[in-house]
Amino acid sequence: MDDAKPVATPLVVNTKISRLGTQRFEDPTLYRSVCGALQYLHLTRPDIAFAVNKVCQFMQDPYIENWELIKRILRYLKHTVQYGLVFQISSDISLHAYSDSDWAESLDDHRSTSGYCIYFGNNLVSWSVRKQKTVSKSSTEAEYRGIAIATFELIWL
């Protein structure tokens, strides 16, 4: 991927991803290996957390379309190699949390995905993106579940 054209985002906006594709990926071990590396990398690159969450959902049975998503993440990383976590000295010792959820975006099981990030002063200290455990009946319910997940982490911190 050395000569790959860089992109500005890890996923295309409003990407709909299905468990089924047109053609199975011929080397599932390669797919899993790259997904594992991306999971490790997202520990210092929270900007790819959502995209990595999406591609890791298909490690059992990847399709060519899933591999194309991985390649887009790699192209994004090439373009943003200078990004990373920066910690600054600050007298602000307050915690701030932000959360967001989509509603039933998964084409396969209609579960929502929630994400949050928590700042200690100006420093990002905790973040997560994951599918909710149950199907939400409305976008409001999906948002409340997302807020609850972020609140649990905030209380723990």
Side-chain angles (χ1 to χ4, degrees), residues 13-85:
V13 177
N14 295 327
T15 301
K16 301 287 186 186
I17 304 167
S18 175
R19 183 178 318 230
L20 299 176
T22 55
Q23 180 183 353
R24 282 194 163 72
F25 186 62
E26 58 193 42
D27 189 359
T29 304
L30 174 64
Y31 186 93
R32 292 180 193 115
S33 175
V34 176
C35 278
L38 289 172
Q39 284 179 316
Y40 182 74
L41 180 62
H42 105 277
L43 295 174
T44 59
R45 292 289 304 268
D47 54 329
I48 64 169
F50 181 79
V52 171
N53 172 276
K54 290 297 181 191
V55 297
C56 287
Q57 293 176 24
F58 306 103
M59 282 199 287
Q60 287 300 107
D61 191 19
Y63 283 84
I64 294 293
E65 291 85 355
N66 308 130
W67 180 246
E68 293 299 321
L69 294 172
I70 286 181
K71 290 196 312 187
R72 181 171 178 98
I73 295 169
L74 295 174
R75 290 171 52 207
Y76 170 75
L77 290 169
K78 179 181 178 181
H79 181 67
T80 59
V81 72
Q82 73 281 8
Y83 288 13
L85 290 178

Side-chain angles (χ1 to χ4, degrees), residues 94-110:
S94 60
L95 288 172
H96 302 278
Y98 302 92
S99 85
D100 193 17
S101 298
D102 63 17
W103 177 46
E105 282 294 317
S106 174
L107 297 176
D108 300 313
D109 57 11
H110 301 290

